[in-house]
Amino acid sequence: MEEPPLRVLACGDVEGRLETLFGRVRAIQSKSGRFDMLLCVGDFFSSTSDAEWAEYRSGAKKAPIPTFVLGANNQETMHCFPHVTGCELAENITYLGRRGLFSGTSGLQIAYLSGTESQDESTPAYSFSSKDVTELKSSLLSTPNFKGVDILLTSPWPRGVESFASSPGEIDTKKCGSSLISDLAASLKPRYHFAALEKAYYERLPYRNHTVLQETPQHVTRFIALAEVGNTGKKKYLYAFSILPMSLMDPAELVKQPQDVTENPYRKLRKGAQKTKVLGCAEEETACQFFFDLNKHQGKKRPSDGKDRGSSQTKQAKKPPQPTGPCWFCLASPEVEKHLVVSIGTHCYLALAKGGLLPDHVLILPIGHYQSVVDLSLEVMEEVTKYKSALKEFFRSKGKRYVLFERNYKSQHLQLQVIPVPLNYTSEDIKECFITQAQEQQIELLEIPEHSDITQVVQPGTPYFYVELDTGEKLFHRIRGSFPLQFGRAVLASRALLALPQRSDWRSCTAARPEEAAQASAFRRDFQPFDFTLRD
């Protein structure tokens, strides 16, 4: 029988307002059912809260839910925490301690660090130092098969947490917060990280804990800062959520990436802590902005046997030309329609076409910025070929064959359009259809000789239109003047082939985002057995 998820409440600075807090908790539980625990970050006590606290300490009143709190953040409240290693302060109220890992019978792992970052050489009892952070990290990272923790509790915000996300408003995290907390969060990879002290509510977009194309996909982190209890501005100070311990989750479910995931805000810290092997300029740029990850390895670096090493290294070091403006297809660009991506290799990726002619109309695209096939490096071209082979197998399994075309004209990023047609159409049928419709528009479409490649007939920078069948047969047109932008799609949509003339223009075929996402999910699932990037 599957374990039900734990229902958890997290709270910001209580500042001694116990009646306000627990009254609100009771109201939530009467309306939504019982929660398993309450986690409090920030200042739990204040210098004037002794009278209210005395009723709980004496047992006259009791917290309605098991409550776990962090330690003092100032000298004035130090006396409220008698034992530095943690203790029960009152019935149902537990001080976790200065630093450590709390793990209940459920298996939920909660890492915690009390206090504020020390600004002095000698660390006060209400502060933490780099030594505290290092020891906490070491104790957890040395655990066999450590993947991260479920929850991280700190009082200060991590410095720079807003990087790659929206601003937290009046809070400047470049000046406030703790860089040691940033380092801790980057290392412990919590699924949830709660903080307070700034009297503000801020829920950051989830961020990834791996480098795209270089590391195995991992779970995301959600950072939530909470305001103080009973604040007059009615800012959120209680956060309710359900969580299944990481140890009980299906690995594929654990690493699923939400659509709004961002790059890790502590990426520079992580780069300094790890010796990451660079896979090329395009991949490194991708790591800055990429938006979507699959649930397994995103592909493997091509093994080298040492042959042709000189030429290979030269090509890897060569940086692709950069776009002159926003590019809808560079993987590093925030303009990319992230929900349409269905597979990621080392140098290329696969995405559903927006406004596709068919639901399984896909694009093969280079990760870096290349304008056309003839501009591609050897490594990128090899992976394009792998995707072609995988798509051929995939579509043949469905009783189809693909037609691929490229238009290197009025476009700045290579798009290889791949559209399936029924298998009963022969190569001759498809070629005849293209050639006939080309002649009707005074377009000279020539067949490239067998065993020849497009790079042998055209130089980089030359405008052209190019068709390739899954048999390897190719048609080519050198563009010298104007050219109909929808030509390739219109031929395939014509009554001679797919009989979908109403869909010859992609702009009339766009769907709502949820429908597009559902189509991408379905394609990704069906394509998985053929996707070479997922093979060990």
Side-chain angles (χ1 to χ4, degrees), residues 210-218 255 293-301 342-346 383 387 528 531-536:
H210 65 279
T211 303
V212 176
L213 306 177
Q214 298 181 21
E215 298 173 317
T216 303
Q218 298 179 45
V255 302
D293 300 308
L294 304 176
N295 295 333
K296 295 184 179 180
H297 286 284
Q298 306 298 351
K300 304 177 286 296
K301 185 174 180 180
V342 294
S343 174
I344 311 158
T346 304
E383 193 158 270
Y387 268 122
Q528 196 170 33
D531 191 345
F532 65 90
T533 70
L534 303 181
R535 296 170 189 161
D536 294 328

Short mmCIF file of all heavy atoms in Angstrom, two decimals, residues 210-218 255 293-301 342-346 383 387 528 531-536:
data_model
loop_
_atom_site.label_atom_id
_atom_site.label_comp_id
_atom_site.label_asym_id
_atom_site.label_seq_id
_atom_site.Cartn_x
_atom_site.Cartn_y
_atom_site.Cartn_z
N HIS A 210 20.74 20.46 -11.44
CA HIS A 210 21.74 19.82 -12.29
C HIS A 210 22.04 20.74 -13.46
O HIS A 210 21.28 21.66 -13.76
CB HIS A 210 21.24 18.47 -12.80
CG HIS A 210 20.05 18.57 -13.70
ND1 HIS A 210 18.77 18.71 -13.23
CD2 HIS A 210 19.95 18.59 -15.06
CE1 HIS A 210 17.92 18.80 -14.24
NE2 HIS A 210 18.62 18.73 -15.37
N THR A 211 23.15 20.50 -14.09
CA THR A 211 23.53 21.24 -15.28
C THR A 211 23.06 20.47 -16.50
O THR A 211 23.44 19.31 -16.70
CB THR A 211 25.06 21.44 -15.35
OG1 THR A 211 25.49 22.11 -14.16
CG2 THR A 211 25.43 22.28 -16.56
N VAL A 212 22.22 21.10 -17.29
CA VAL A 212 21.65 20.45 -18.47
C VAL A 212 22.76 20.00 -19.41
O VAL A 212 23.73 20.71 -19.65
CB VAL A 212 20.70 21.42 -19.19
CG1 VAL A 212 20.16 20.80 -20.48
CG2 VAL A 212 19.55 21.79 -18.28
N LEU A 213 22.62 18.78 -19.91
CA LEU A 213 23.54 18.16 -20.86
C LEU A 213 24.84 17.67 -20.24
O LEU A 213 25.63 17.01 -20.90
CB LEU A 213 23.88 19.11 -22.03
CG LEU A 213 22.70 19.69 -22.80
CD1 LEU A 213 23.22 20.65 -23.85
CD2 LEU A 213 21.88 18.61 -23.44
N GLN A 214 25.06 18.00 -18.96
CA GLN A 214 26.31 17.59 -18.33
C GLN A 214 26.10 16.67 -17.14
O GLN A 214 26.99 15.93 -16.77
CB GLN A 214 27.11 18.83 -17.89
CG GLN A 214 27.52 19.72 -19.05
CD GLN A 214 28.33 20.92 -18.58
OE1 GLN A 214 28.91 20.91 -17.50
NE2 GLN A 214 28.37 21.96 -19.39
N GLU A 215 24.92 16.72 -16.53
CA GLU A 215 24.66 15.92 -15.34
C GLU A 215 23.32 15.20 -15.47
O GLU A 215 22.43 15.66 -16.19
CB GLU A 215 24.64 16.82 -14.09
CG GLU A 215 25.96 17.51 -13.82
CD GLU A 215 25.87 18.51 -12.69
OE1 GLU A 215 24.88 19.26 -12.63
OE2 GLU A 215 26.79 18.54 -11.86
N THR A 216 23.18 14.11 -14.74
CA THR A 216 21.92 13.39 -14.70
C THR A 216 20.83 14.28 -14.12
O THR A 216 21.05 14.96 -13.12
CB THR A 216 22.06 12.14 -13.81
OG1 THR A 216 23.14 11.34 -14.31
CG2 THR A 216 20.79 11.33 -13.78
N PRO A 217 19.62 14.31 -14.72
CA PRO A 217 18.54 15.13 -14.17
C PRO A 217 18.26 14.83 -12.71
O PRO A 217 18.27 13.67 -12.28
CB PRO A 217 17.34 14.76 -15.06
CG PRO A 217 17.96 14.32 -16.34
CD PRO A 217 19.24 13.64 -15.97
N GLN A 218 18.00 15.87 -11.94
CA GLN A 218 17.71 15.75 -10.52
C GLN A 218 16.44 16.52 -10.20
O GLN A 218 15.90 17.24 -11.04
CB GLN A 218 18.89 16.28 -9.69
CG GLN A 218 20.19 15.49 -9.92
CD GLN A 218 21.35 16.05 -9.11
OE1 GLN A 218 21.20 16.34 -7.93
NE2 GLN A 218 22.50 16.19 -9.75
N VAL A 255 12.33 13.41 -10.36
CA VAL A 255 13.12 14.33 -11.18
C VAL A 255 12.31 15.04 -12.26
O VAL A 255 12.88 15.74 -13.09
CB VAL A 255 14.33 13.62 -11.83
CG1 VAL A 255 15.21 13.00 -10.77
CG2 VAL A 255 13.87 12.55 -12.83
N ASP A 293 13.79 19.24 -18.85
CA ASP A 293 14.66 18.07 -18.81
C ASP A 293 13.82 16.80 -18.83
O ASP A 293 12.76 16.74 -18.24
CB ASP A 293 15.49 18.07 -17.52
CG ASP A 293 16.35 19.29 -17.44
OD1 ASP A 293 17.07 19.56 -18.40
OD2 ASP A 293 16.30 19.98 -16.42
N LEU A 294 14.41 15.78 -19.49
CA LEU A 294 13.73 14.51 -19.48
C LEU A 294 14.09 13.77 -18.21
O LEU A 294 14.85 14.23 -17.37
CB LEU A 294 14.12 13.69 -20.72
CG LEU A 294 13.85 14.45 -22.04
CD1 LEU A 294 14.35 13.62 -23.21
CD2 LEU A 294 12.37 14.73 -22.20
N ASN A 295 13.54 12.56 -18.06
CA ASN A 295 13.71 11.85 -16.80
C ASN A 295 14.90 10.93 -16.74
O ASN A 295 15.10 10.22 -15.78
CB ASN A 295 12.43 11.04 -16.51
CG ASN A 295 11.25 11.95 -16.31
OD1 ASN A 295 11.43 13.09 -15.90
ND2 ASN A 295 10.06 11.48 -16.60
N LYS A 296 15.71 10.89 -17.83
CA LYS A 296 16.90 10.04 -17.82
C LYS A 296 18.05 10.83 -18.41
O LYS A 296 17.95 12.01 -18.66
CB LYS A 296 16.63 8.78 -18.64
CG LYS A 296 15.54 7.90 -18.02
CD LYS A 296 15.39 6.62 -18.80
CE LYS A 296 14.32 5.72 -18.18
NZ LYS A 296 14.15 4.47 -18.91
N HIS A 297 19.18 10.13 -18.64
CA HIS A 297 20.33 10.80 -19.23
C HIS A 297 19.95 11.48 -20.52
O HIS A 297 19.21 10.94 -21.33
CB HIS A 297 21.43 9.77 -19.52
CG HIS A 297 22.12 9.32 -18.28
ND1 HIS A 297 23.06 10.07 -17.61
CD2 HIS A 297 21.98 8.18 -17.58
CE1 HIS A 297 23.48 9.39 -16.56
NE2 HIS A 297 22.84 8.26 -16.51
N GLN A 298 20.46 12.69 -20.73
CA GLN A 298 20.12 13.44 -21.93
C GLN A 298 21.05 13.11 -23.08
O GLN A 298 21.17 13.85 -24.03
CB GLN A 298 20.20 14.94 -21.63
CG GLN A 298 19.37 15.38 -20.43
CD GLN A 298 17.90 15.11 -20.64
OE1 GLN A 298 17.49 14.76 -21.74
NE2 GLN A 298 17.11 15.26 -19.62
N GLY A 299 21.72 12.00 -23.00
CA GLY A 299 22.64 11.63 -24.08
C GLY A 299 24.05 11.52 -23.54
O GLY A 299 24.36 12.02 -22.46
N LYS A 300 24.88 10.84 -24.29
CA LYS A 300 26.25 10.60 -23.83
C LYS A 300 27.23 11.27 -24.75
O LYS A 300 27.00 11.41 -25.95
CB LYS A 300 26.51 9.08 -23.81
CG LYS A 300 25.49 8.31 -22.97
CD LYS A 300 25.76 6.85 -23.04
CE LYS A 300 25.34 6.26 -24.37
NZ LYS A 300 23.92 6.34 -24.61
N LYS A 301 28.33 11.71 -24.17
CA LYS A 301 29.37 12.29 -25.00
C LYS A 301 29.97 11.20 -25.88
O LYS A 301 30.23 10.09 -25.44
CB LYS A 301 30.45 12.90 -24.11
CG LYS A 301 31.51 13.63 -24.93
CD LYS A 301 32.50 14.35 -24.05
CE LYS A 301 33.54 15.05 -24.88
NZ LYS A 301 34.51 15.76 -24.07
N VAL A 342 10.94 17.53 -26.83
CA VAL A 342 10.63 16.12 -26.57
C VAL A 342 11.87 15.25 -26.38
O VAL A 342 11.77 14.12 -25.90
CB VAL A 342 9.73 15.53 -27.68
CG1 VAL A 342 8.37 16.20 -27.67
CG2 VAL A 342 10.37 15.66 -29.05
N SER A 343 13.04 15.73 -26.76
CA SER A 343 14.26 14.94 -26.58
C SER A 343 15.45 15.88 -26.64
O SER A 343 15.44 16.87 -27.38
CB SER A 343 14.39 13.87 -27.67
OG SER A 343 15.63 13.21 -27.59
N ILE A 344 16.48 15.57 -25.86
CA ILE A 344 17.68 16.41 -25.83
C ILE A 344 18.91 15.53 -25.98
O ILE A 344 19.10 14.58 -25.22
CB ILE A 344 17.81 17.19 -24.51
CG1 ILE A 344 16.50 17.89 -24.17
CG2 ILE A 344 18.95 18.19 -24.59
CD1 ILE A 344 16.38 18.22 -22.72
N GLY A 345 19.72 15.83 -26.98
CA GLY A 345 20.98 15.14 -27.15
C GLY A 345 22.12 15.98 -26.63
O GLY A 345 21.93 16.91 -25.84
N THR A 346 23.32 15.69 -27.05
CA THR A 346 24.49 16.45 -26.62
C THR A 346 24.66 17.72 -27.43
O THR A 346 25.06 18.76 -26.90
CB THR A 346 25.76 15.58 -26.76
OG1 THR A 346 25.56 14.38 -26.02
CG2 THR A 346 26.98 16.31 -26.23
N GLU A 383 25.15 13.92 -34.76
CA GLU A 383 23.96 13.72 -33.93
C GLU A 383 22.67 13.97 -34.71
O GLU A 383 21.65 13.34 -34.44
CB GLU A 383 24.01 14.63 -32.69
CG GLU A 383 22.99 14.24 -31.65
CD GLU A 383 23.35 14.73 -30.28
OE1 GLU A 383 24.05 14.01 -29.53
OE2 GLU A 383 22.92 15.86 -29.94
N TYR A 387 19.49 11.35 -34.94
CA TYR A 387 18.07 11.66 -34.79
C TYR A 387 17.28 11.21 -36.03
O TYR A 387 16.15 10.72 -35.93
CB TYR A 387 17.87 13.15 -34.54
CG TYR A 387 17.83 13.51 -33.08
CD1 TYR A 387 18.73 14.43 -32.54
CD2 TYR A 387 16.90 12.94 -32.24
CE1 TYR A 387 18.69 14.76 -31.19
CE2 TYR A 387 16.85 13.27 -30.89
CZ TYR A 387 17.75 14.17 -30.37
OH TYR A 387 17.69 14.48 -29.03
N GLN A 528 10.09 7.29 -26.77
CA GLN A 528 11.09 6.88 -25.78
C GLN A 528 11.86 5.62 -26.15
O GLN A 528 13.09 5.57 -26.02
CB GLN A 528 10.42 6.72 -24.41
CG GLN A 528 11.38 6.68 -23.25
CD GLN A 528 10.64 6.76 -21.92
OE1 GLN A 528 9.53 6.26 -21.78
NE2 GLN A 528 11.25 7.38 -20.94
N ASP A 531 14.58 6.61 -28.62
CA ASP A 531 15.39 7.79 -28.32
C ASP A 531 16.78 7.37 -27.84
O ASP A 531 16.95 6.87 -26.73
CB ASP A 531 14.69 8.63 -27.25
CG ASP A 531 15.32 10.00 -27.07
OD1 ASP A 531 16.46 10.21 -27.55
OD2 ASP A 531 14.69 10.86 -26.44
N PHE A 532 17.78 7.57 -28.67
CA PHE A 532 19.15 7.15 -28.34
C PHE A 532 19.71 7.89 -27.14
O PHE A 532 20.64 7.41 -26.49
CB PHE A 532 20.08 7.33 -29.55
CG PHE A 532 20.27 8.76 -29.97
CD1 PHE A 532 21.30 9.52 -29.45
CD2 PHE A 532 19.41 9.35 -30.89
CE1 PHE A 532 21.49 10.84 -29.82
CE2 PHE A 532 19.59 10.67 -31.28
CZ PHE A 532 20.63 11.42 -30.74
N THR A 533 19.18 9.08 -26.82
CA THR A 533 19.71 9.85 -25.69
C THR A 533 19.35 9.23 -24.35
O THR A 533 19.93 9.60 -23.33
CB THR A 533 19.19 11.30 -25.71
OG1 THR A 533 17.79 11.32 -25.40
CG2 THR A 533 19.44 11.96 -27.05
N LEU A 534 18.41 8.28 -24.34
CA LEU A 534 17.97 7.67 -23.09
C LEU A 534 18.63 6.34 -22.82
O LEU A 534 18.36 5.71 -21.81
CB LEU A 534 16.45 7.48 -23.11
CG LEU A 534 15.61 8.74 -23.32
CD1 LEU A 534 14.13 8.41 -23.28
CD2 LEU A 534 15.95 9.80 -22.29
N ARG A 535 19.49 5.92 -23.75
CA ARG A 535 20.12 4.61 -23.58
C ARG A 535 21.36 4.73 -22.71
O ARG A 535 22.13 5.68 -22.84
CB ARG A 535 20.50 4.02 -24.93
CG ARG A 535 19.27 3.73 -25.81
CD ARG A 535 19.67 3.37 -27.22
NE ARG A 535 18.50 3.32 -28.09
CZ ARG A 535 18.55 3.39 -29.41
NH1 ARG A 535 19.72 3.50 -30.02
NH2 ARG A 535 17.45 3.36 -30.12
N ASP A 536 21.54 3.77 -21.84
CA ASP A 536 22.71 3.77 -20.95
C ASP A 536 23.97 3.43 -21.73
O ASP A 536 23.92 2.72 -22.71
CB ASP A 536 22.52 2.76 -19.82
CG ASP A 536 21.38 3.19 -18.90
OD1 ASP A 536 21.17 4.40 -18.75
OD2 ASP A 536 20.72 2.30 -18.36
#
